[in-house]
Amino acid sequence: MNNPQLQLMVHGRRIGELTPDIQYPGVTITSVQRVSNPNYLFIQLDVTQQALPGKLDINFSRQGIKVLNTGYQLNAHRAHSAQRKGFSPSDAIDR
């Protein structure tokens, strides 16, 4: 990836009260952002070039006890994907 930073927005009942952990070669959590709505959690990841495509597990714990596990698929890069248009205001709904 040209930019090794990846942000995941996780939604779930009171997910913001939990602590995420990822044990996957080449992927580390750099920060976790909690917001006023406890049903959302933002996880900032650093994905190095050594990270291979595959399913990584995100474990969520409360006071050191694992209470939830979910997967995230880390896909291989497609040829010429850097030329693809990224997220822009046209992707958002403004009411």
Side-chain angles (χ1 to χ4, degrees):
M1 289 175 41
N2 287 339
N3 181 354
Q5 299 299 307
L6 173 65
Q7 185 181 62
L8 301 179
M9 180 182 72
V10 185
H11 176 261
R13 183 161 161 49
R14 306 198 73 80
I15 195 76
E17 297 174 355
L18 304 178
T19 301
D21 180 58
I22 295 174
Q23 300 295 319
Y24 192 85
V27 178
T28 56
I29 295 176
T30 57
S31 67
V32 175
Q33 182 180 5
R34 291 170 173 79
V35 294
S36 59
N37 185 331
N39 297 323
Y40 288 91
L41 184 70
F42 294 86
I43 306 171
Q44 188 74 33
L45 303 177
D46 183 64
V47 182
T48 68
Q49 292 181 351
Q50 289 74 32
L52 298 176
K55 181 182 171 222
L56 57 95
D57 288 320
I58 307 173
N59 294 307
F60 294 90
S61 62
R62 177 179 288 117
Q63 298 177 340
I65 299 170
K66 184 171 109 173
V67 295
L68 178 66
N69 174 276
T70 190
Y72 180 80
Q73 184 66 38
L74 196 59
N75 292 323
H77 290 227
R78 295 182 187 158
H80 309 291
S81 64
Q83 286 74 39
R84 190 173 341 147
K85 180 183 171 194
F87 184 83
S88 73
S90 66
D91 296 309
I93 298 172
D94 184 20
R95 300 193 115 203

